[in-house]
Amino acid sequence: MSCGSECCSKRLRASSTTALVLCAVALLASTAVGSARYHLPGRPTSIVAFDMDGDGDNDLAVARQEPRTVSFFKNNGSGTFYPETEVTVHSYYGYDYPMDLIAADFDGDSHCDLAVADLSDSPPGLFLNNGTGSFEWRNLCSPTNEPAMLVASDFDGDLDLDIAVTLVFWNVEVMINQGDAYFTGCTQYDAGYYVNDVVAGDFDGDSDNDIAVANWSSNAVSMLLNAGDGTFAPAASIPAGDYPSSAVAADLDGDEDLDLAVASQYGFPYPSLLRSVYVLLNNGDATFGEPVPYPCGSDLRGIIAADLDGDLDSDLVVVDRISNKIIVLLNSGTGTFQEFALYSTGLCPRAITAADLDGDGDIDVATANSCSDDISVIFLEKGLLQYDCGDTDGNRFVDIDDIIFLITHVFASGPQPQPPESGNADCSGIADIDDIVYLINNVFASGPDPCDSCK
């Protein structure tokens, strides 16, 4: 997919119906159709896919710590990437490193620009794209305290894209775009202690875009509701599980309002044995139900939401920095999730982006891996995300071979069905002897279809 005025971002985030339309993401089955690694010394910290040169395919931009640069990888159109150029992230003080990247059209010229948060006492900045992949640097606002994570959205209702950025210890800063990528009204709001990721969307149903901030140390999300003019009410604290580090907003339960999913970073002691993705379902008025945990890793970082399996609901994908995996959680359609599959990345993945990287119409993913000094590109095929319940051996038929496969798994520690849900024929949540009996009844006695009781 060509981004053009539709810019890609590493997290799927709710925004206004303006020039920012984030690329649809889909990700990862039990088997991918291919992968590649690209060496990039200097501890990559963030990654984003977008069409930087207007040729209709998605390139990659990667922030790295040493040196303080953003490196660009040009796509040849079929998913092979070549280092193209790199640009220096400007800093007033010259320490720390670029932490986050987002791509959006900030100056209204239909080219994807880049916003960069530099973890120092420098302001966030813009790399303005001339449409051919050449960039001009512009500082935003004045020096501020350790900007960390960014989101772009129309906060003041004038149909251009503004920016909100978290400042590591206390605040979120809102920067209002004048339409030409010059920003004013850089106002800070208290958002809790040790703030981390930030997302935006209409959480209370009043047709303007609000802000939600993940607070690592207070185990909460701070919700700042928009007055409609780009100013915000004091933050309300919403319980969000343990150590939330990253967040995504999407309609997870199909009721047409925006819910939240937050990924849990390491806690104390470090590393924690198991961390969770917490799902918070919106009541429609920016109040949320209790966070529901889905344990799946040890140090969860970037998270994205998208319809991965073509069933018209939003699934979740999260990066685990300790196990060096990407984890897929498939949505039942009602906002409950099951772990679907894992896929390996490089060492210490810190960020994830998703877009069609090889031009086949399916969405692929890439991660920035800080310990192995590289990026991972994983090519996917939409059909790999689909499965038939009861088809435990993956041959697309439910027959006696699936019964034997499940018997071997349950009683002889044989391989797990892929995905695990395919063995859960009776919808109990676990593959066991009851599922074997269920499949025997279906195959030999014309009993109910596998997963029939789940519907």
Side-chain angles (χ1 to χ4, degrees):
M1 168 179 181
S2 170
C3 287
S5 62
E6 299 180 344
C7 296
C8 300
S9 178
K10 68 181 187 305
R11 292 177 294 278
L12 186 65
R13 291 168 164 168
S15 183
S16 57
T17 53
T18 65
L20 177 64
V21 180
L22 302 182
C23 293
V25 292
L27 185 56
L28 214 59
S30 54
T31 307
V33 297
S35 63
R37 298 265 290 274
Y38 294 90
H39 185 57
L40 184 62
R43 303 191 68 186
T45 57
S46 186
I47 187 168
V48 64
F50 72 111
D51 183 4
M52 72 176 185
D53 51 7
D55 63 355
D57 50 51
N58 287 305
D59 310 297
L60 296 172
V62 187
R64 53 183 179 151
Q65 291 186 28
E66 304 161 357
R68 303 161 46 81
T69 60
V70 174
S71 297
F72 295 94
F73 286 78
K74 181 174 173 53
N75 192 341
N76 72 350
S78 60
T80 300
F81 291 85
Y82 300 94
E84 180 72 6
T85 186
E86 67 178 29
V87 290
T88 299
V89 176
H90 295 253
S91 171
Y92 285 142
Y93 303 108
Y95 58 85
D96 289 320
Y97 55 89
M99 180 75 171
D100 194 25
L101 299 173
I102 58 172
D105 180 15
F106 292 106
D107 54 3
D109 64 355
S110 299
H111 305 309
C112 285
D113 310 304
L114 279 181
V116 184
D118 184 49
L119 194 63
S120 69
D121 286 337
S122 295
L126 286 181
F127 287 110
L128 295 177
N129 190 350
N130 69 1
T132 64
S134 296
F135 294 86
E136 172 193 346
W137 175 262
R138 180 180 295 175
N139 279 321
L140 301 177
C141 294
S142 57
T144 191
N145 181 40
E146 297 195 353
M149 306 298 287
L150 299 155
V151 67
S153 188
D154 180 9
F155 293 125
D156 57 356
D158 63 355
L159 303 183
D160 53 42
L161 289 171
D162 311 303
I163 291 175
V165 57
T166 55
L167 310 178
V168 166
F169 290 105
W170 298 102
N171 295 336
V172 60
E173 185 170 62
V174 177
M175 295 174 268
I176 301 300
N177 191 349
Q178 300 307 296
D180 53 2
Y182 284 97
F183 290 75
T184 61
C186 300
T187 305
Q188 294 187 18
Y189 296 88
D190 187 355
Y193 180 63
Y194 211 116
V195 298
N196 215 325
D197 202 7
V198 56
V199 295
D202 183 10
F203 293 104
D204 56 359
D206 64 354
S207 301
D208 53 42
N209 290 310
D210 311 303
I211 293 173
V213 179
N215 295 304
W216 181 82
S217 64
S218 57
N219 298 329
V221 167
S222 292
M223 178 65 63
L224 292 86
L225 297 181
N226 193 339
D229 58 358
T231 63
F232 293 83
S237 183
I238 300 167
D242 297 330
Y243 305 106
S245 65
S246 57
V248 66
D251 181 8
L252 300 177
D253 55 0
D255 63 355
E256 299 185 357
D257 53 42
L258 284 177
D259 309 301
L260 290 168
V262 297
S264 176
Q265 196 175 332
Y266 65 83
F268 299 101
Y270 175 80
S272 173
L273 294 178
L274 193 63
R275 311 310 302 171
S276 295
V277 169
Y278 291 89
V279 172
L280 291 75
L281 298 181
N282 191 348
N283 297 317
D285 57 358
T287 64
F288 293 79
E290 290 295 315
V292 179
Y294 293 90
C296 59
S298 298
D299 187 4
L300 304 179
R301 297 298 177 105
I303 185 170
I304 55 177
D307 181 10
L308 311 183
D309 51 5
D311 62 355
L312 303 182
D313 54 42
S314 292
D315 310 300
L316 299 171
V317 186
V318 64
V319 171
D320 184 8
R321 187 171 178 267
I322 298 298
S323 67
N324 307 312
K325 303 284 187 184
I326 296 172
I327 302 158
V328 175
L329 301 174
L330 288 185
N331 193 341
S332 67
T334 61
T336 60
F337 294 82
Q338 289 185 317
E339 184 175 314
F340 179 83
L342 309 175
Y343 198 84
S344 296
T345 66
L347 302 181
C348 309
R350 292 187 55 161
I352 184 171
T353 190
D356 181 7
L357 299 177
D358 54 3
D360 65 353
D362 297 321
I363 301 300
D364 313 299
V365 297
T367 62
N369 312 313
S370 61
C371 295
S372 51
D373 279 345
D374 59 19
I375 59 176
S376 298
V377 178
I378 303 165
F379 302 104
L380 307 172
E381 198 171 281
K382 187 180 297 181
L384 295 175
L385 289 160
Q386 301 168 351
Y387 69 94
D388 297 314
C389 186
D391 178 26
T392 59
D393 63 0
N395 70 354
R396 293 297 185 185
F397 298 97
V398 179
D399 53 22
I400 188 173
D401 292 333
D402 298 296
I403 297 170
I404 294 170
F405 190 101
L406 196 55
I407 290 172
T408 304
H409 169 64
V410 172
F411 294 109
S413 300
Q416 180 172 255
Q418 285 296 333
E421 292 83 3
S422 66
N424 182 28
D426 65 355
C427 305
S428 66
I430 186 172
D432 55 19
I433 188 172
D434 293 334
D435 298 292
I436 296 170
V437 173
Y438 194 106
L439 289 181
I440 290 172
N441 187 37
N442 170 254
V443 171
F444 295 108
S446 299
D449 290 334
C451 293
D452 189 60
S453 61
C454 302
K455 301 174 182 177

